[in-house]
């Protein structure tokens, strides 16, 4: 495939493939500017990198906390509160439709925040996305229900949900880029993986709020009014996140790229690339976007079916206690977090593809046994199965934070990495609860969840085989 990146640094410095812009300014490839672009060899870069990675993690955790709160609330209460129906399945399906709606608006977030991130800076895009998510999440906590506002209630809910999706469309790419582009030499996957713990940490944080609330007020009290508490608490978290993100520096790679584009250059496609990153991306790198999407789609399905759908499916369809499902998912998520950094360090040493391929094979094999464990209705069995599954997910999920950005040049990196990851999340995760609800309405067996997830993980395996190793890819061009 002619548009795939070269595998080694020496190759990258050589003749450019047809997909790359014409080498109109050879001076930009000189070692002096390249070292400035990466800034990974400087003392300032090394000192700043850990703080930037932590700042990215804090913001991503808050964003995914907001998203996880909505997902859990969809499973527990939002159906009857905003979409009342005599049929429990129809009510749940309507609630999950609003969950999927946010995924449909994520591509808009990729366009909006990708343009901001590639033209104005990674940090500006991240601050804006976090602020938008906070406003939308707190807004959900203040909404009237269908009983008091009629049709206006679900309309407002869907509107705020769409805004959450736009925010998420810009969050992931910016968070991993800010960390990766500050990373010291040979540790790009390690630093990029730190924000990758955000989704699981966000889920654990939401569970830490929801479970005590459920225990204190009871299910009836939670359904009646207390479901608003996790949403309103987001105010405090967003203030903290905004403070952290505004105190870190801009990506040195972006600064160098921006300086190059301000220098007098002949009119060329590079000007169009900076003005309309998505258009240039789709013209020059469609294969990378599609294969990158496929590489991440299986992991998205594993995460959302485990963390979102099964929390509703287990209690409603199989009679498993709600606390059992939340505990199983929480223990599995914690195990995944525990191995995220070691997995990323391994990916820095041996390459991204070997680690991700191992995870993809493991998820293909383990998908059916993992969801089959639900039939046992035994908390220990389910927890063990989920723990193995989410640890295998970490093998795919941790290195992808470096792998996807490395597929694209710096001037298109925010848009390219975000587009691939968000498309995977939308197709593999956003519609997963809807597809799973339909499958179970026809076959009424948790085994169908395993076959569905395993199929998507197999697709990821095939896409990874078609992509090159990117560990030695230049990152400042």
């Amino acid at each position: 495939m002619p548009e795939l990146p070269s595998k080694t640094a020496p190759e990258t410095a050589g003749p450019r493939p047809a997909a790359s812009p014409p080498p109109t300014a050879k001076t930009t490839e000189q070692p002096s500017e390249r070292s400035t672009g990466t800034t990974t060899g400087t003392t300032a870069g090394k000192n700043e990198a850990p703080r930037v990675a932590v700042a990215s993690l804090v913001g991503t955790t808050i964003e995914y906390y907001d998203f996880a709160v909505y997902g859990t609330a969809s499973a527990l209460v939002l159906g009857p509160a905003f979409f009342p129906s005599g049929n429990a399945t129809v009510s749940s399906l309507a609630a999950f439709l609003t969950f999927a709606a946010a995924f449909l608006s994520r591509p808009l977030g990729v366009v909006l925040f990708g343009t901001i991130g590639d033209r104005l800076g990674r940090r500006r895009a991240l601050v804006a996305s976090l602020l938008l998510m906070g406003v939308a999440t707190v807004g959900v906590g203040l909404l009237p229900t269908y009983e008091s506002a009629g049709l206006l209630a679900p309309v407002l809910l869907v509107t705020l949900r769409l805004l959450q999706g736009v925010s998420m469309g810009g969050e992931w790419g910016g968070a991993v880029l800010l960390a990766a582009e500050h990373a010291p030499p040979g540790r790009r996957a390690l630093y990029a993986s730190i924000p990758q713990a955000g989704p699981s940490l966000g889920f654990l944080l939401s569970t830490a709020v929801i479970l005590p609330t459920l225990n204190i007020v009871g299910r009836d009290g939670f359904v009646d009014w207390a479901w608003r508490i996790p949403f309103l608490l987001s105010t405090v978290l967003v203030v903290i996140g905004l403070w952290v993100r505004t105190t870190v520096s801009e990506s040195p790679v972006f600064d160098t790229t921006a300086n190059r584009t301000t220098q007098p250059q002949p009119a060329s496609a590079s000007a169009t690339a900076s003005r309309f990153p998505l258009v240039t991306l789709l013209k020059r790198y469609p294969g990378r976007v599609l294969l990158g999407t496929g590489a991440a789609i299986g992991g998205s399905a594993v995460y959302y079916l485990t963390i979102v759908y099964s929390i509703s499916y287990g209690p409603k369809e199989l009679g498993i206690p709600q606390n059992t499902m939340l505990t199983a998912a929480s223990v599995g998520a914690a195990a995944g977090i525990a191995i995220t950094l070691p997995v990323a360090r391994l990916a820095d040493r041996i390459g991204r593809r070997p680690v991700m391929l191992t995870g993809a094979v493991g998820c293909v094999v383990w998908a059916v046994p993992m969801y089959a464990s639900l039939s046992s209705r035994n908390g220990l069995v389910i927890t063990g199965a989920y723990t193995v599954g989410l640890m295998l997910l970490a093998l795919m999920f941790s290195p992808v934070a470096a792998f996807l950005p490395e597929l694209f040049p710096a001037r298109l990196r925010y848009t390219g990495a975000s587009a691939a990851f968000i498309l995977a999340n939308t197709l593999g995760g956003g519609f997963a609860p809807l597809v799973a609800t339909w499958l179970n309405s026809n076959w009424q067996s948790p085994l169908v969840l395993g076959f569905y997830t395993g199929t998507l993980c197999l697709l990821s395996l095939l896409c990874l085989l078609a992509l090159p190793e990117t560990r030695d890819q230049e990152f400042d061009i």
Side-chain angles (χ1 to χ4, degrees), residues 34-52:
R34 180 167 295 163
S35 63
T36 303
T38 57
T39 69
T40 54
T42 66
T43 304
K46 291 180 181 179
N47 292 338
E48 179 78 357
R51 194 161 64 92
V52 170

Side-chain angles (χ1 to χ4, degrees), residues 340-380:
T340 293
L341 295 186
V343 166
R345 194 69 188 104
L346 181 64
D348 275 327
R349 290 174 179 169
I350 69 172
R352 287 56 162 134
R353 287 177 75 249
V355 178
M356 295 177 69
L357 284 169
T358 301
V361 170
C363 285
V364 170
V365 173
W366 189 248
V368 172
M370 178 168 65
Y371 294 112
S373 70
L374 296 173
S375 297
S376 71
R377 297 175 174 80
N378 184 298
L380 290 177

Side-chain angles (χ1 to χ4, degrees), residues 236-452:
V236 178
L237 299 176
V238 169
V239 170
I240 296 172
L242 288 174
W243 175 76
V244 170
R245 281 194 167 172
T246 53
T247 59
V248 299
S249 64
E250 180 55 82
S251 158
V253 176
F254 172 81
D255 281 342
T256 300
T257 305
N259 289 336
R260 290 174 185 170
T261 58
T262 59
Q263 296 173 357
Q265 292 182 10
S268 66
S270 62
T272 304
S274 63
R275 193 173 301 121
F276 303 109
L278 182 65
V279 174
T280 305
L281 177 76
L282 296 179
K283 283 183 178 179
R284 298 187 179 186
Y285 307 102
R288 298 186 204 181
V289 174
L290 290 176
L291 289 174
T293 298
I297 199 170
S300 296
V302 173
Y303 179 84
Y304 283 102
L305 283 179
T306 304
I307 298 298
V308 176
Y309 178 75
S310 66
I311 291 175
S312 170
Y313 172 75
K316 290 183 178 179
E317 303 297 331
L318 301 175
I320 303 171
Q322 192 76 64
N323 285 2
T324 298
M325 292 305 306
L326 286 171
T327 300
S330 297
V331 171
I337 293 172
I339 69 168
T340 293
L341 295 186
V343 166
R345 194 69 188 104
L346 181 64
D348 275 327
R349 290 174 179 169
I350 69 172
R352 287 56 162 134
R353 287 177 75 249
V355 178
M356 295 177 69
L357 284 169
T358 301
V361 170
C363 285
V364 170
V365 173
W366 189 248
V368 172
M370 178 168 65
Y371 294 112
S373 70
L374 296 173
S375 297
S376 71
R377 297 175 174 80
N378 184 298
L380 290 177
V381 172
I382 297 171
T383 300
Y386 274 27
T387 298
V388 173
L390 291 175
M391 290 178 74
L392 290 171
L393 170 63
L395 296 179
M396 287 196 292
F397 200 59
S398 179
V400 81
F403 183 66
L404 292 182
E406 287 165 350
L407 293 174
F408 304 98
R411 71 193 184 283
L412 300 173
R413 189 168 292 141
Y414 198 126
T415 302
S418 295
F421 189 79
I422 294 306
L423 280 174
N425 262 229
T426 301
L427 299 175
F431 290 103
L434 291 175
V435 174
T437 299
W438 178 80
L439 288 173
N440 278 300
S441 68
N442 286 277
W443 284 277
Q444 298 180 348
S445 169
L447 290 177
V448 297
L449 302 180
F451 289 118
Y452 171 60

Side-chain angles (χ1 to χ4, degrees), residues 182-270:
H182 276 89
R187 296 195 172 188
R188 193 184 299 153
L190 176 65
Y191 278 82
S193 74
I194 292 175
Q196 285 294 79
S200 293
L201 281 174
F203 169 74
L204 291 176
L205 187 58
S206 71
T207 303
V209 173
I210 290 173
L211 268 181
T213 305
L214 272 170
N215 291 332
I216 292 171
V217 303
R219 187 176 179 86
D220 290 340
F222 189 85
V223 170
D224 186 37
W225 63 273
W227 62 270
R228 300 178 183 275
I229 293 175
F231 290 97
L232 298 178
L233 283 177
S234 179
T235 305
V236 178
L237 299 176
V238 169
V239 170
I240 296 172
L242 288 174
W243 175 76
V244 170
R245 281 194 167 172
T246 53
T247 59
V248 299
S249 64
E250 180 55 82
S251 158
V253 176
F254 172 81
D255 281 342
T256 300
T257 305
N259 289 336
R260 290 174 185 170
T261 58
T262 59
Q263 296 173 357
Q265 292 182 10
S268 66
S270 62

Side-chain angles (χ1 to χ4, degrees), residues 55-69 130-131 133-134 137 164 168 171 198-199 201-203 205-206 233-245:
S56 297
L57 171 63
V58 169
T60 305
T61 299
I62 294 169
E63 291 251 8
Y64 274 91
Y65 164 84
D66 293 345
F67 222 70
V69 162
L130 182 60
L131 183 60
M133 175 63 84
T137 302
Q164 280 190 321
M168 289 299 294
E171 169 61 27
L201 281 174
F203 169 74
L205 187 58
S206 71
L233 283 177
S234 179
T235 305
V236 178
L237 299 176
V238 169
V239 170
I240 296 172
L242 288 174
W243 175 76
V244 170
R245 281 194 167 172

